[in-house]
């Protein structure tokens, strides 16, 4: 047997370098660990200084409680911490760092020195460094104000294999800045400073109230985030969720503005990500990602933060409760965001930070050292509108017979929803002969928009007709005071048969009439279908599924949940399941992959929305077919009725595919376009 096969105790430096492989990946990892220690020390101000993206120098200085002289030798030792003393402390840990590995690991792959002072006397203070292969600490006097400074030089100087994997200075600094942004968002009550190569990039004042919090978000995420975000603060059952969620129309091409904190700790968790995706399910444009800054506060004893050395992952004791709380809270918040409702405080929609270059606010921010991102484009420039007269790419096709069959059952349950709301509109006025004209005439009295649905005859001008019997009158414009208008104002014209132009108190609103009507129809259909028990249909031949023991156990435990969704799922053997009944709308669907996906979601997240999502896909397509089309001429009464319906319909700011349904140009923006007052 060779000498290499004998068991031996690892050299302390080698052991720390192995641990550094898990904790210290790049300069941003060092910044994260040192900043978390500063926060745990009770700091009210944290300064981060870098050189060469952090590869040459990282210095973190805080004004916290400091470290006693007697404790300094232990501060750089492995598995030494002041934050836990027993298993009970670990089960309810509330601090950010507690494993006692970070400083020892960092010092093993860099030249690290730590200076600290627990007294208010600035002439006091002590400095500690480690030397030699045994990593023996050496303590010497060193003046320092109250608090701690940790300086890390030449990261990975003694591990060339690790150093060569570092990227360019710009790339590494980008990672450090993102780590800094996360920590600055995690503690809005702490002041922060970031310097790179002797240049101050961020200087953030502490915020103790909502105004201060929003100032921090604006400095780090841009003014556009706040102008298009909803603030929420909900609490139930020992859980509190607060923060900001972006409107679906303010989505991004990548998930770079998604921050979620659990008890002040930034986390990336599959359960949390799934709950948020569900909340945005049918309001987000395909390929886009929502933006949010959310804070979840829970009892520390019901969440395990010791899952991974980097502490980015957590595990909840009752994952289903947390998932349902997050989903319901965000789903309700997004649903209550009606079209025309004010968002982001008193700021006018569409206003950007470039209103006046060199404005006092910008100058003040420059003096304070706050770095502002490039001004975001107005909403009407970010996502161009599109004509909706054709099927979207990848949109699910539904046969006319299938639509008609559903319509018959739908009208029987909900007669007040007119037929014209749910059937395709004629391609041209008068097309289809006498039978079509009779059908159109019969629908005139039942128009969902409160007026005739028939387009004017060729060569004639559209004239308003009388509303349906019993329908509330829909005023075109107020007679006495035109400034007292509803949120979406009053219609004044129709543009190219596609857009509705409306005058509001603040300016002008442009509405995509097909997209808006599509959302209204879709929400009504969802309420009707999901409002009560889903209509189910037994299968003529039950579908047999080969399943694992875990899936069979899940099916047994969730039998009632499946039944509420209209699915009858029975256990036919130790590894066999039988699907005997499915919702009527999905009778022609491929049942096996749907049930497997539902079982997988129930095992992983404690709930599944697969079946509801499939039904909603069908309803969405039906709503698209049943909405007003491009080039359909509407009367003023019909346009105003559509605006009023948008104001009371959930999620009416986006169509079923996530596209915006309306946008607003304020008088300030219109004046700026024509250089008025310049």
């Amino acid at each position: 047997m060779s000498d290499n096969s004998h068991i031996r105790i690892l050299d302390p430096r080698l052991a720390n370098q192995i641990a550094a492989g898990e904790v210290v990946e790049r300069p941003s990892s060092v910044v994260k660990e040192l900043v978390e220690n500063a926060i745990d020390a009770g700091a009210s101000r944290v300064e981060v200084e870098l050189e060469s993206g952090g590869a040459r120098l990282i210095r973190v200085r805080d004004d916290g409680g400091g470290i006693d002289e007697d404790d300094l030798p232990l501060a750089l030792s492995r598995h030494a911490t002041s934050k836990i003393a027993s298993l009970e402390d670990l089960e309810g840990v509330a601090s950010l760092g507690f494993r006692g590995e970070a400083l020892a690991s960092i010092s093993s792959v860099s030249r690290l020195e730590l200076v600290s002072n627990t007294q208010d006397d600035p002439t006091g203070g002590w400095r500690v460094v480690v030397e030699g292969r045994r990593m023996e600490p050496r303590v010497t006097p060193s003046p320092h104000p109250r608090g701690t400074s940790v300086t890390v030089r030449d990261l990975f100087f003694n591990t060339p294999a690790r150093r060569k994997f570092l990227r360019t200075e710009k790339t590494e600094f980008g990672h450090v800045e993102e780590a800094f942004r996360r920590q600055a968002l995690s503690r809005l009550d702490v002041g922060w400073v970031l310097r790179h190569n002797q240049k101050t990039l961020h200087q953030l004042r502490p915020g103790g109230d909502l105004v201060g919090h929003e100032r921090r978000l604006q400095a780090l995420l841009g003014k556009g985030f706040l102008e298009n975000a909803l603030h929420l603060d909900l609490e139930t059952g020992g859980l509190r969720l607060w923060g900001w969620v972006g409107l679906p129309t303010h989505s991004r091409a990548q998930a770079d503005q998604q921050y979620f904190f659990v008890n002040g700790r930034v986390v990336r968790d599959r359960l949390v990500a799934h709950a948020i995706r569900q909340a945005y399910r049918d309001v987000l444009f395909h390929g886009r990602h929502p933006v949010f800054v959310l804070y979840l506060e829970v009892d520390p004893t019901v969440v395990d933060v010791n899952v991974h050395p980097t502490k980015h992952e957590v595990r909840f004791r009752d994952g289903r409760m947390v998932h349902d709380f997050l989903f319901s809270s965000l789903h309700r918040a997004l649903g209550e965001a009606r079209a025309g409702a004010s968002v982001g405080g008193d700021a006018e929609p569409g206003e950007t930070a470039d209103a006046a270059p060199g404005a006092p606010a910008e100058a003040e921010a420059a003096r304070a050292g706050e770095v502002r991102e490039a001004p975001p484009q107005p909403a009407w420039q970010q996502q161009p509108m599109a004509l909706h007269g054709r099927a979207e790419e990848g949109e699910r096709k539904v046969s006319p017979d299938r639509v008609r069959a559903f319509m018959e059952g739908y009208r029987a349950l909900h007669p007040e929803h007119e037929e014209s709301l749910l059937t395709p509109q004629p391609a041209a006025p008068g097309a289809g002969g006498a039978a079509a004209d009779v059908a159109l005439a019969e629908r005139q009295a039942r128009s969902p928009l409160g007026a005739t649905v028939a387009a004017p005859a060729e060569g004639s001008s559209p004239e308003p007709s009388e509303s349906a019997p019993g329908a509330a009158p829909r005023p075109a414009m107020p007679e006495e005071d035109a400034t007292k208008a509803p949120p979406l104002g009053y219609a004044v014209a129709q543009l190219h048969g596609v857009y509705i132009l409306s005058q509001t108190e603040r300016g002008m609103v442009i509405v995509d009439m097909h997209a808006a009507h599509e959302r209204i129809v879709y929400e009504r259909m969802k309420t009707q279908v999901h409002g009560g028990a889903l209509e189910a249909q037994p299968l003529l031949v039950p579908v047999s599924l080969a399943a694992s023991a875990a899936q069979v156990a899940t099916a047994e435990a969730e039998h009632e949940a499946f039944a509420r969704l209209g699915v009858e799922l029975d256990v036919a053997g130790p590894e066999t399941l039988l699907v005997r009944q499915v919702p009527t709308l999905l009778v022609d669907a491929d049942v096996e992959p749907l049930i497997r996906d539902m079982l997988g979601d129930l095992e992983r997240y404690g709930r599944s929305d697969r079946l509801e999502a499939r039904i909603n896909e069908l309803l969405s397509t039906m709503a698209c077919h049943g909405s007003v089309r491009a080039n359909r001429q509407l009367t003023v009464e019909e346009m105003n009725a559509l605006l009023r319906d948008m104001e009371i319909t959930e999620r009416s700011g986006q169509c079923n595919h996530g596209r915006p349904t309306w946008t607003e140009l304020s008088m300030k923006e219109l004046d700026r376009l024509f250089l008025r007052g310049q």
Side-chain angles (χ1 to χ4, degrees):
M1 183 179 293
S2 64
D3 292 341
N4 291 335
S5 64
H6 289 292
I7 298 175
R8 63 176 61 85
I9 297 176
L10 291 176
D11 178 88
R13 180 176 290 275
L14 177 59
N16 287 336
Q17 289 175 341
I18 293 173
E22 295 180 328
V23 178
V24 184
E25 180 183 0
R26 59 198 332 155
S28 60
S29 307
V30 176
V31 172
K32 170 187 175 296
E33 297 292 343
L34 298 183
V35 165
E36 286 182 349
N37 284 340
I39 294 175
D40 285 340
S44 60
R45 178 181 174 87
V46 179
E47 299 181 12
V48 180
E49 183 178 351
L50 307 168
E51 290 184 9
S52 300
R56 180 183 301 172
L57 170 71
I58 300 173
R59 179 179 290 119
V60 176
R61 178 179 295 130
D62 67 71
D63 60 353
I67 304 175
D68 290 328
E69 175 190 356
D70 296 338
D71 289 340
L72 282 176
L74 291 175
L76 304 184
S77 302
R78 290 192 68 197
H79 302 152
T81 179
S82 62
K83 300 166 186 176
I84 59 172
S86 64
L87 181 61
E88 288 74 16
D89 295 336
L90 182 62
E91 291 177 349
V93 64
S95 58
L96 298 178
F98 53 87
R99 298 172 67 99
E101 296 174 332
L103 289 178
S105 299
I106 296 170
S107 65
S108 69
V109 293
S110 67
R111 296 184 173 94
L112 182 147
E113 71 171 21
L114 187 153
V115 184
S116 187
N117 184 8
T118 60
Q119 307 298 323
D120 293 329
D121 183 4
T123 61
W126 296 86
R127 171 178 176 268
V128 61
V129 296
V130 293
E131 299 176 340
R133 294 187 60 84
R134 305 298 300 177
M135 301 189 69
E136 297 292 339
R138 182 167 63 91
V139 180
T140 57
S142 178
H144 189 277
R146 182 184 178 90
T148 303
S149 293
V150 182
T151 303
V152 178
R153 302 181 187 273
D154 302 327
L155 186 63
F156 300 137
F157 79 98
N158 55 354
T159 53
R162 299 283 302 280
R163 189 176 182 87
K164 71 179 182 180
F165 280 98
L166 291 180
R167 303 304 179 187
T168 64
E169 176 179 325
K170 180 180 179 180
T171 300
E172 293 301 336
F173 174 72
H175 287 286
V176 172
E177 188 176 29
E178 178 61 22
F180 175 87
R181 184 179 291 108
R182 291 174 181 171
Q183 298 298 334
L185 290 173
S186 72
R187 289 297 300 268
L188 303 175
D189 59 330
V190 175
W192 299 83
V193 178
L194 176 64
R195 300 186 184 93
H196 185 220
N197 294 335
Q198 290 79 50
K199 181 180 179 181
T200 300
L201 301 178
H202 291 281
Q203 186 167 333
L204 309 174
R205 292 175 290 171
D209 54 12
L210 182 60
V211 175
H213 296 171
E214 292 185 344
R215 182 176 63 241
R216 173 73 54 86
L217 265 67
Q218 179 173 318
L220 294 175
L221 302 180
K223 188 176 181 180
F225 178 90
L226 278 180
E227 289 180 344
N228 295 276
L230 303 169
H231 181 262
L232 57 89
D233 192 342
L234 303 169
E235 186 172 1
T236 182
L239 301 174
R240 182 193 178 200
L241 179 69
W242 65 280
W244 295 261
V245 292
L247 292 174
T249 48
H250 188 66
S251 57
R252 296 176 68 87
Q254 54 188 358
D256 59 344
Q257 287 193 2
Q258 297 183 351
Y259 301 94
F260 193 87
F261 305 90
V262 177
N263 292 343
R265 181 190 307 278
V266 59
V267 300
R268 295 190 297 266
D269 186 79
R270 290 190 308 171
L271 182 144
V272 169
H274 183 265
I276 295 175
R277 281 199 309 270
Q278 277 191 309
Y280 278 91
R281 183 177 53 210
D282 62 355
V283 293
L284 203 63
F285 193 62
H286 59 81
R288 305 289 294 183
H289 300 270
V291 298
F292 54 84
V293 178
L294 293 172
Y295 303 84
L296 178 64
E297 298 177 6
V298 300
D299 186 342
T301 60
V302 302
V303 57
D304 182 8
V305 299
N306 193 26
V307 178
H308 192 273
T310 61
K311 301 181 289 294
H312 276 152
E313 301 175 11
V314 296
R315 182 184 297 116
F316 297 100
R317 179 180 298 176
D318 191 344
R320 173 178 292 194
M321 179 181 69
V322 173
H323 183 285
D324 290 348
F325 174 64
L326 293 176
F327 167 73
S328 60
S329 300
L330 298 179
H331 187 73
R332 183 166 65 250
L334 295 173
E336 291 175 352
R338 303 290 196 273
S342 60
V343 177
D346 297 330
E348 293 189 358
E351 280 200 354
T352 59
D354 62 345
E362 295 294 330
E364 180 181 355
R367 288 194 300 270
E370 293 186 1
V371 176
R372 295 173 182 261
E373 294 183 356
Q377 290 181 312
W380 54 277
Q381 293 179 355
Q382 291 178 1
Q383 298 179 4
M385 297 289 185
L387 294 177
H388 307 314
R390 66 192 67 174
E392 294 296 320
E393 182 179 356
E395 184 176 324
R396 182 173 175 177
K397 303 295 189 299
V398 179
S399 66
D401 292 340
R402 187 76 181 278
V403 175
R404 281 194 294 270
F406 176 80
M407 291 307 106
E408 294 298 327
Y410 182 81
R411 285 192 296 271
L413 293 172
H414 212 299
E416 65 271 21
H417 287 180
E418 292 78 6
E419 181 182 359
S420 60
L421 194 70
L422 304 170
T423 54
Q425 299 298 326
D437 293 336
V438 171
L440 285 173
E442 291 176 351
R443 291 198 295 268
Q444 287 180 0
R446 300 194 303 271
S447 169
L449 303 178
T452 177
V453 301
E458 185 175 358
S460 64
S461 59
E463 294 182 2
S465 62
E466 296 183 358
S467 300
R474 309 277 188 165
M477 287 292 290
E479 296 180 358
E480 298 180 358
D481 189 355
T483 63
K484 295 181 179 180
L488 292 181
Y490 293 98
V492 295
Q494 187 177 7
L495 183 64
H496 292 292
V498 178
Y499 302 109
I500 296 173
L501 305 183
S502 174
Q503 177 178 318
T504 67
E505 294 183 18
R506 295 183 292 188
M508 177 181 70
V509 160
I510 306 173
V511 176
D512 184 331
M513 66 180 194
H514 170 75
H517 197 207
E518 183 179 16
R519 169 59 70 176
I520 294 170
V521 175
Y522 179 46
E523 290 298 328
R524 288 177 178 175
M525 293 171 71
K526 283 200 305 182
T527 301
Q528 176 62 32
V529 172
H530 298 298
L534 285 174
E535 183 180 353
Q537 178 174 327
L539 297 177
L540 185 62
V541 179
V543 177
S544 177
L545 302 179
S548 65
Q551 290 176 325
V552 170
T554 301
E556 287 183 314
E558 303 293 342
H559 184 269
E560 292 185 3
F562 279 103
R564 285 195 301 271
L565 295 172
V567 176
E568 185 178 339
L569 187 62
D570 293 338
V571 177
E575 296 182 346
T576 305
L577 295 173
L578 284 180
V579 183
R580 300 184 181 276
Q581 178 179 281
V582 295
T584 303
L585 290 175
L586 299 180
V587 69
D588 295 332
D590 192 354
V591 175
E592 181 172 349
L594 176 61
I595 299 300
R596 291 192 186 279
D597 288 342
M598 292 177 66
L599 289 171
D601 286 347
L602 288 169
E603 286 183 276
R604 191 175 298 111
Y605 309 115
R607 77 187 307 272
S608 175
D609 69 330
R610 301 275 182 167
L611 189 142
E612 181 180 355
R614 291 288 295 274
I615 294 176
N616 287 347
E617 286 179 15
L618 183 60
L619 297 181
S620 175
T621 304
M622 292 177 176
C624 185
H625 282 279
S627 303
V628 292
R629 301 307 228 181
N631 299 319
R632 156 85 180 278
Q633 297 299 316
L634 300 180
T635 66
V636 173
E637 287 83 357
E638 288 176 322
M639 290 187 282
N640 280 321
L642 182 61
L643 297 177
R644 303 293 80 78
D645 283 342
M646 289 176 63
E647 292 165 352
I648 62 174
T649 301
E650 292 186 348
R651 305 170 188 85
S652 57
Q654 307 81 35
C655 76
N656 310 348
H657 311 291
R659 293 185 300 273
T661 60
W662 69 285
T663 189
E664 182 177 13
L665 291 176
S666 67
M667 288 301 296
K668 289 183 179 179
E669 290 176 306
L670 292 171
D671 290 343
R672 196 156 54 237
L673 288 174
F674 294 97
L675 302 180
R676 291 178 61 89
Q678 301 295 317

